[in-house]
Amino acid sequence: EIVLTQSPGTLSLSPGERATLSCRASQSVSNSYLAWYQQKPGQAPRLLIYGASSRATDIPDRFSGSGSGTDFTLTINRLEPEDFAVYYCLQYGKSLPFAFGQGTKVEIK
Amino acid sequence: EMQLLESGGGLVQPGGSLRLSCAASGFTFRRFAMSWVRQAPGKGLEWVSATGGGGDDAHYADSVKGRFIISRDNSKNMLYLQMNNLRADDTATYYCAKDAQNDNGVWDWFDPWGQGTLVTVSS
């Protein structure tokens, strides 16, 4: 069973800055089966990235994902006011269970 | 447009039961695995249960195994979660979520999600 650890817990940044979020797996994630979600208060999670680096439909190109094996990164270039939210990584694949990271909150500095 | 709409949440006493429902539309329901994911107040996301498109397989997180039962009715495009012997730590918003891809032998990422239904377990 894979455990995902996200860091930092909270990221305090200003609009226009770059956010770099980390998701580290306790063992290698096969085929880069890793997704990223954004969640705002009172809303369901919204898919941003799947397959570690593929942007979902209608996701702005300031969001990018990278990584493989055990280390994955979500980068948000030029933070917009609507980007301040909580971000989760998700490991999926050929076997269960699914695993979520504990989340990183991106807050306005 | 794909849509998922949960219902059935509410206040229940410890040890009680509740059945959640999720109505799906906008896609060929029987072709896709479905999951339930929950989120305790102020906490992160936790996968709870999944079932394949045919509904003949069911998988559970250890935290709910033996107490929750996932099922689906493909003729009605409905997903269910029967929750028994509820505990205070089951208090959460429960989301149903669709497997993003079909028939590829992989439990894929979730997309889309429903808006969630709140379950509160308290005396």
Side-chain angles (χ1 to χ4, degrees):
Chain A
E1 186 170 328
I2 292 178
V3 176
L4 299 181
T5 301
Q6 292 186 240
S7 61
T10 302
L11 203 49
S12 298
L13 295 168
S14 300
E17 292 192 296
R18 173 184 294 177
T20 303
L21 288 67
S22 172
C23 177
R24 179 161 292 177
S26 60
Q27 54 188 280
S28 184
V29 177
S30 58
N31 297 98
S32 297
Y33 286 148
L34 191 105
W36 289 93
Y37 292 87
Q38 176 194 70
Q39 188 179 36
K40 297 179 180 179
Q43 296 184 15
R46 172 196 182 198
L47 176 68
L48 300 174
I49 301 287
Y50 61 92
S53 60
S54 297
R55 254 188 316 275
T57 303
D58 296 330
I59 300 303
D61 61 7
R62 63 179 182 273
F63 291 91
S64 63
S66 63
S68 63
T70 60
D71 290 299
F72 298 87
T73 300
L74 174 69
T75 301
I76 313 171
N77 287 311
R78 303 179 308 278
L79 279 164
E80 297 284 344
E82 62 267 27
D83 299 336
F84 292 92
V86 179
Y87 294 83
Y88 294 96
C89 54
L90 165 71
Q91 176 264 324
Y92 55 95
K94 293 187 176 181
S95 61
L96 295 173
F98 292 96
F100 286 97
Q102 80 280 19
T104 290
K105 182 179 182 180
V106 179
E107 65 175 21
I108 299 176
K109 187 174 180 179
Chain B
E1 180 189 3
M2 293 183 288
Q3 286 194 332
L4 299 170
L5 185 62
E6 302 94 336
S7 60
L11 176 64
V12 61
Q13 293 188 336
S17 298
L18 209 57
R19 188 174 89 149
L20 306 183
S21 300
C22 173
S25 61
F27 63 98
T28 305
F29 183 68
R30 67 179 185 278
R31 288 189 171 181
F32 292 88
M34 297 291 295
S35 281
W36 289 97
V37 177
R38 70 183 179 183
Q39 186 170 38
K43 303 298 184 183
L45 300 167
E46 179 190 17
W47 170 76
V48 171
S49 181
T51 183
D56 51 0
D57 60 330
H59 307 270
Y60 302 96
D62 288 344
S63 58
V64 306
K65 201 171 292 183
R67 299 187 299 122
F68 289 13
I69 301 171
I70 190 171
S71 63
R72 62 193 295 163
D73 184 339
N74 286 344
S75 68
K76 296 181 179 178
N77 290 352
M78 294 292 296
L79 178 72
Y80 304 102
L81 186 68
Q82 177 67 42
M83 304 186 295
N84 301 321
N85 192 20
L86 283 159
R87 310 186 302 221
D89 62 357
D90 294 317
T91 294
T93 295
Y94 285 74
Y95 296 98
C96 69
K98 170 187 162 292
D99 191 291
Q101 302 187 115
N102 63 335
D103 299 335
N104 64 348
V106 177
W107 296 96
D108 281 306
W109 64 95
F110 306 122
D111 187 46
W113 300 52
Q115 89 293 342
T117 187
L118 177 62
V119 173
T120 303
V121 184
S122 175
S123 54

